[in-house]
Amino acid sequence: QVQLVESGGGLVQAGGSLRLSCAASGRTFSSYIMGWFRQAPGKEREFVAAISWSGFSTYYADSVKGRFTISRDNAKNTVYLQMNSLKPEDTAVYFCAASSRGDYFNLAEFDYWGQGTQVTVSS
């Protein structure tokens, strides 16, 4: 069992930056693929970024590539999402999730989810 708690969301102007954190409980954090997803009002939850258990492999949605960076610190049981050059269309609730399976992009393959943190980007 893994419990996830996100933090770091807030209100920022377009072009600004935010860093989201996701703290995980449990001793097996380093064995999970970790991902960030987001859900805007009236839209489906979508993939944003994912990182392998080792941190060596990372994956991004085209919409955030070059602006967002996912990283993890297995010693601290924490995964991060650095978001730069934010746009109003990045406004959403951001969720972190953990997967014990091999699919980085499919939210159905992620077993554990945090409660989400709101990110609002004003124009």
Side-chain angles (χ1 to χ4, degrees), residues 46-61:
E46 65 176 6
F47 169 80
V48 175
I51 188 166
S52 63
W53 64 269
S54 66
F56 289 156
S57 299
T58 57
Y59 305 89
Y60 299 93

Side-chain angles (χ1 to χ4, degrees), residues 15-98:
S17 298
L18 282 174
R19 188 195 196 202
L20 305 183
S21 298
C22 174
S25 65
R27 295 174 291 177
T28 59
F29 172 78
S30 61
S31 66
Y32 287 91
I33 292 169
M34 297 300 297
W36 286 96
F37 295 80
R38 66 187 181 187
Q39 187 166 17
K43 295 188 176 181
E44 293 186 351
R45 194 170 298 188
E46 65 176 6
F47 169 80
V48 175
I51 188 166
S52 63
W53 64 269
S54 66
F56 289 156
S57 299
T58 57
Y59 305 89
Y60 299 93
D62 288 342
S63 59
V64 307
K65 203 171 292 184
R67 300 187 297 122
F68 291 11
T69 302
I70 189 171
S71 61
R72 68 190 296 164
D73 185 337
N74 286 341
K76 295 182 178 180
N77 280 13
T78 303
V79 62
Y80 305 96
L81 186 69
Q82 178 67 45
M83 305 186 296
N84 298 328
S85 302
L86 283 161
K87 305 175 180 180
E89 51 264 43
D90 294 319
T91 295
V93 177
Y94 283 71
F95 300 88
C96 75

